Amino acid sequence: MTPHTYITTTIPYVNARPHLGFALELVQADVLARHRRARGDQVRLQAGTDDNSLKNVLAARAAGAGVQEFVDANADAFVALAGPLSLSVDDVIRTSRDPRHRPGVEALWRACAEAGDLYRRHYEGLYCVGCEQFYTPGELPGGRCPEHGTQPQPVSEENWFFRLSRYAGQLHDLIASGTLRIEPAERRNEVLAQIAAGLEDFSVSRSAERAHGWGIPVPGDPSQVIYVWWDALGNYVTALGYGTGGDGLQRWWAGAQRRIHLAGKGVVRFHAVYWPAILLSAGLRPPTDILVHDYLTAGGQKISKSGGVTVDPAALVLQYGTDAVRWWLLREVPRVGDTDFTAARLVRRANDELANGLGNLVSRVTALIRRYREGKVPVTPAPAPAAGPLEAAIRRAPGAVDAALADFDFRAATGAIWSVIDEANRYVSQAQPWVVAAREQAGDRAAGRQLDAILATLIRACAAIGDLLAPFLPDAAARVAQQCASPGGQLPAAVPVFPRLEVPAAAPAAAA
């Protein structure tokens, strides 16, 4: 049976337009989806927007706009990123608009209620609207939210609570055994430490008054609105038809070999603790993988809508192109650790590797074939001289990419591709086909056969690089493949694969 893989991104609040930090997650998810499709999996890549948040309400009021109007405008900007970023998203769910969502969230609530895991009690605590989360005083260094640096608001009200404490043992066993895999290991260890310290039941509703009437009412209790994180996490199954029917839930959740969530490090608790516990309570399988990325920063400050430090990914693409933006996100960002963004770094990486490295390689190889073989790709059984290291790099690369992506390491995966590009450029310099061509032109027939073998090896290498690159830079890979294609044995007209970039005077930068 063909493996089924379900890949999701988090769904972002739409209190402002999208920033580069979320584009990172979108691109990572797209690479995983494209890679698994190329390996033969049936894949569903899902994204969406988190509309039912108090912070969206407050942002709309600050903008002097109606909440739905405000939410719709920003949500459209998130959905529209699929074009500039060349995303292969299969489905998008809008939590305030999609008819699948509310019935599914209500069904999830009722399932947990039937399991005896919901109860109502009075609560007093410190609430960060930016996180949409209660904090204990011990979690607030200097009395401020560790994510936003703001002072949480004291809240006293009666809410519904979920019996998270009941699931501590099951959660520990799932994660410790690897049944629920959390990558990288640093994040897995953090979650296990949280569980070991003790899990308290958490509030899963807010008063309708405090929510300003925005959100999904608690079934049977219209004085309360379902907590936005319960609402948002439910999208992973409501989009599959949970609560509304159809075969999506069986195909992509219950029957999928991998159920993969991508998430930023600031929301690991919700995805790796709260969400699996809710699923267990409702009688659903937990996810198989939670893949966690760290933050992008600008000028040392976290890129964030709430924090007011942002970089517009659509504007970056408009100035520098999809390939340059995707390559920087995949090539520069490490598996663990925050990464500071500047336009200069993006340009330098694109010029050094895409324009000078790969673009120059494809241009040189195809130009050599046009010059010495009138554009006809040589077909020769003869082995190319000294091509062993290049051919070995080509053989190793697919396995290295597979292993790196299995570890959620995009830098290592792109590094495996770069090793082939580097080896191919080295081989051009070592083989010196122009010198061999001069001997052929002087009447050396053996040199002609040698030149055929060199050129055939190099064009195969370029084509292999295009194949390897397809999940990472689909647009660029298509151009490489087109330049290496030879229908009827003839190369197409020369077209530059990558432009060389310049940093304009008014480059997109962090706005505080």
Side-chain angles (χ1 to χ4, degrees), residues 10-16 22 47-57 71 74-75 78 92-97 101 131-132 214 226-233 235 267 271 305:
T10 54
I11 55 173
Y13 296 129
V14 289
N15 57 312
F22 186 60
T49 60
D50 186 354
D51 301 354
N52 297 326
S53 166
L54 176 58
K55 64 195 298 182
N56 295 341
V57 175
V71 163
N74 282 333
F78 278 91
V92 175
I93 185 164
R94 292 270 322 277
T95 61
S96 71
R97 287 288 193 188
H101 188 63
C131 295
E132 293 281 13
W214 183 253
I226 294 175
Y227 175 39
V228 67
W229 268 104
W230 178 291
D231 174 331
L233 290 165
N235 94 91
V267 296
H271 286 81
K305 298 187 301 295

Side-chain angles (χ1 to χ4, degrees), residues 22 58 92 115 147 179 206 231 279 305 340 358 372 390 476:
F22 186 60
L58 298 178
V92 175
E147 284 290 315
T179 303
R206 304 290 181 260
D231 174 331
L279 291 167
K305 298 187 301 295
D340 203 62
L358 178 55
Y372 297 121
L390 172 57

Side-chain angles (χ1 to χ4, degrees), residues 357-398:
L358 178 55
N360 188 50
L361 171 68
V362 174
S363 294
R364 290 176 78 189
V365 170
T366 55
L368 287 167
I369 293 173
R370 290 187 185 94
R371 180 176 180 182
Y372 297 121
R373 293 297 180 261
E374 298 181 336
K376 296 180 180 179
V377 176
V379 178
T380 172
L390 172 57
E391 292 171 346
I394 294 171
R395 288 194 301 271
R396 287 193 303 267

Side-chain angles (χ1 to χ4, degrees), residues 388-451:
L390 172 57
E391 292 171 346
I394 294 171
R395 288 194 301 271
R396 287 193 303 267
V401 169
D402 288 353
L405 292 183
D407 286 341
F408 195 54
D409 191 338
F410 296 91
R411 182 185 273 183
T414 52
I417 300 171
W418 181 251
S419 68
V420 180
I421 298 169
D422 202 31
E423 199 64 58
N425 275 311
R426 186 178 297 113
Y427 181 67
V428 173
S429 298
Q430 291 173 345
Q432 296 184 310
W434 50 91
V435 173
V436 180
R439 296 207 311 269
E440 180 191 29
Q441 290 166 358
D444 186 341
R445 292 186 178 181
R449 293 190 294 272
Q450 183 180 347
L451 181 60

Side-chain angles (χ1 to χ4, degrees), residues 5-12 22 24-30 32-33 37 43-48 88-93 232-240 252-253 256 258-264 267 271 275 279 287-293 408 410:
T5 300
Y6 179 41
I7 302 172
T8 71
T9 68
T10 54
I11 55 173
F22 186 60
L24 168 66
E25 185 171 307
L26 288 170
V27 170
Q28 289 177 336
D30 183 65
L32 295 179
R37 291 187 192 111
V43 176
R44 177 188 175 97
L45 172 57
Q46 182 180 299
S88 59
V89 176
D90 296 298
D91 190 21
V92 175
I93 185 164
L233 290 165
N235 94 91
Y236 301 132
V237 294
T238 64
L240 302 179
W252 294 110
W253 193 268
R258 311 304 300 179
R259 298 173 295 281
I260 302 170
H261 295 324
L262 275 72
V267 296
H271 286 81
W275 177 232
L279 291 167
T288 59
D289 304 81
I290 297 173
L291 307 179
V292 185
H293 61 84
F408 195 54
F410 296 91

